Amino acid sequence: MKKLYTMAAAGLILAACSESGLNEPSGEWGDAPLRITASVNEEITTRADEPFPSDVDFYFTYTPSGQSNYSSKLIYFDEKGDDKEIYLNWENVKISSSLYFVLDNVPKDGTSINLTEISGAEVQNTNRDYNAQPESGTGKGNDILWQRIAVPTKPNTLEPIHFELQHLMSKVSFEISSSNDEIKNLLKLGETTVKLWNVVEKPKTDGNYTFDRIKGTVTIDGELINQDNAVSIAGKEATSEEDIVSVTTDSWIFPPQEFRDKNNRPKLQVCITDETDETKTFTGTLPESMMIEIEDETNEVTSKPLEFLPGYHLVIRVKLGYWTDHTIYFKPVLVKKWKEYGPSDININQVGVYDAEGLKELVEAWNDESNTNLLTFKKYGVLEGDTWTFNLWKSITGYNSDEAIPDKLGFNPRSDYSLVFNSNGHKVNDTPISNFELTKSKTAE
């Protein structure tokens, strides 16, 4: 359920000279207060009654009457969302359909802001470091809230200007799980830490890391951090569900970024330290694709290349196999609009096929009807009723490489289960694969 923090309408008045002429306020309503409301549109499972963050400074950006450049004015609100002072009236602002009103929480005047130049001295007792860091609350730390609205050519002075603020950074967290008894006990009793590198944590010393206040874009010009400088993200208390133990990490806020270099993709390391201070390490490369939920009337879920998207929360889910096998097995990355997730919101059952070996193992297990092979099926798919659904999450090569790709990838009908196979637009041996289904037969064919 969506929770809206609403700033109650408030008069904003400041005496200034009005400007006559086309597209400027008239004397009839020019001295009317310019009222502002705003909301942060989030779903919150643990902080439903938290008030609007009164300790966050917001900046209202507009073009002053008679001028051509944008200017920003600091606005304070109390925990009820009411403004603490009187600021502007309509005769103070320039009216033009080509201009915008903007609200955000970045403490700089002007429209193009170098985020590396902002320091704690600009806002007392506030950390303005916009490098990757743990989430510290709505609108705090490096969390950028923003929205722009076109300036109305005929203002309705009886209605406030409403901003529905958006997050412009990307939130990332990790879920580490295992069904192996030894690893489960370690997840319960030990300390889990996730290390991440080959990502942009902060800009180069001579680079640009900017926020465009009018366009609402964050740009980076930074180097990928190496393993020696990896981001270290702490795990929280372990939870158990059936035969699986999971540890979810703190959420971190990263600048938006894409990962197009296939030879230098982000690396993930899971370190578990036991009571004797012995550490076991698991290492893997982040998957190439992610599942993103499009929030509209369709509620579609689609696959796209992995990236840290602005305004989205990526839950990167991994499963640790056996104590003697220190490989990380990735589940599909879950991506939704920036939200706080409770345990029930994270689907830990989605799995799929990522390589030729996995597809071969799945097909052979499926076609062996003398054995139910449920463990193999669970490794690659989800069961609903008597239908297994399998997803191909990555284009693969080397499957049946000595011969043509068989019809329906070699899956045969079974007498006990139906099958749904989703290719998600991926290829096998450079051949596009269509989605297909196999209905349950009376006897195996």
Side-chain angles (χ1 to χ4, degrees), residues 207-223:
N208 293 316
Y209 185 6
T210 62
F211 163 58
D212 188 311
R213 179 165 267 150
I214 302 303
K215 296 179 180 178
T217 55
V218 176
T219 60
I220 58 175
D221 179 19
E223 296 176 341

Side-chain angles (χ1 to χ4, degrees), residues 118-328:
I118 298 176
S119 64
E122 296 217 11
V123 180
Q124 189 175 5
N125 299 324
T126 302
N127 179 11
R128 304 312 299 185
D129 182 359
Y130 284 88
N131 298 337
Q133 60 185 274
E135 182 182 25
S136 55
T138 302
K140 301 176 184 178
N142 63 346
D143 178 18
I144 298 179
L145 298 173
W146 170 92
Q147 195 193 19
R148 75 176 186 185
I149 295 174
V151 174
T153 55
K154 295 183 178 180
N156 181 351
T157 59
L158 299 179
E159 294 292 334
I161 299 296
H162 178 74
F163 295 90
E164 187 168 314
L165 299 170
Q166 310 164 19
H167 296 275
L168 296 185
M169 302 293 269
S170 181
K171 181 160 68 171
V172 180
S173 61
F174 297 85
E175 185 196 75
I176 315 301
S177 66
S178 182
S179 56
N180 175 270
D181 288 339
E182 192 170 5
I183 299 177
K184 286 195 300 183
N185 290 333
L186 195 61
L187 287 172
K188 290 179 181 179
L189 303 175
E191 294 183 1
T192 302
T193 302
V194 168
K195 295 185 177 181
L196 183 68
W197 65 95
N198 283 354
V199 297
V200 175
E201 176 197 23
K202 56 185 178 182
K204 294 181 295 186
T205 303
D206 57 348
N208 293 316
Y209 185 6
T210 62
F211 163 58
D212 188 311
R213 179 165 267 150
I214 302 303
K215 296 179 180 178
T217 55
V218 176
T219 60
I220 58 175
D221 179 19
E223 296 176 341
L224 302 179
I225 56 174
N226 58 26
Q227 186 172 359
D228 292 337
N229 299 305
V231 171
S232 184
I233 304 176
K236 300 179 181 179
E237 184 178 355
T239 59
S240 300
E241 183 176 345
E242 297 182 350
D243 66 336
I244 297 177
V245 173
S246 301
V247 170
T248 301
T249 69
D250 295 330
S251 294
W252 270 58
I253 312 303
F254 284 86
Q257 53 194 286
E258 299 176 341
F259 308 111
R260 294 181 176 178
D261 185 355
K262 294 185 177 180
N263 298 319
N264 207 19
R265 294 191 58 75
K267 295 286 187 179
L268 179 70
Q269 192 174 81
V270 179
C271 303
I272 312 177
T273 304
D274 63 18
E275 296 173 328
T276 65
D277 289 332
E278 180 182 0
T279 300
K280 297 293 184 181
T281 301
F282 302 78
T283 305
T285 302
L286 292 194
E288 294 183 8
S289 61
M290 62 186 183
M291 294 301 296
I292 181 169
E293 184 175 278
I294 302 174
E295 295 192 343
D296 56 18
E297 65 277 0
T298 65
N299 289 323
E300 293 181 0
V301 176
T302 185
S303 176
K304 65 172 298 180
L306 181 72
E307 62 180 289
F308 288 175
L309 281 170
Y312 282 82
H313 180 192
L314 286 76
V315 182
I316 299 176
R317 302 169 295 162
V318 303
K319 186 172 183 180
L320 306 182
Y322 297 96
W323 197 244
T324 56
D325 178 6
H326 290 184
T327 302
I328 288 177

Side-chain angles (χ1 to χ4, degrees), residues 4 17 65 96-97 150 165 170 266 274 293 295 390 417 435 438 444:
L4 293 180
C17 297
S65 178
S96 171
S97 59
L165 299 170
S170 181
D274 63 18
E293 184 175 278
E295 295 192 343
F390 303 107
Y417 296 116
N435 299 341
L438 289 175

Side-chain angles (χ1 to χ4, degrees), residues 56-59 103-107 128 130 139-140 143-145:
V56 174
D57 299 327
F58 288 92
Y59 297 82
L103 191 68
D104 61 64
N105 63 328
V106 180
R128 304 312 299 185
Y130 284 88
K140 301 176 184 178
D143 178 18
I144 298 179
L145 298 173

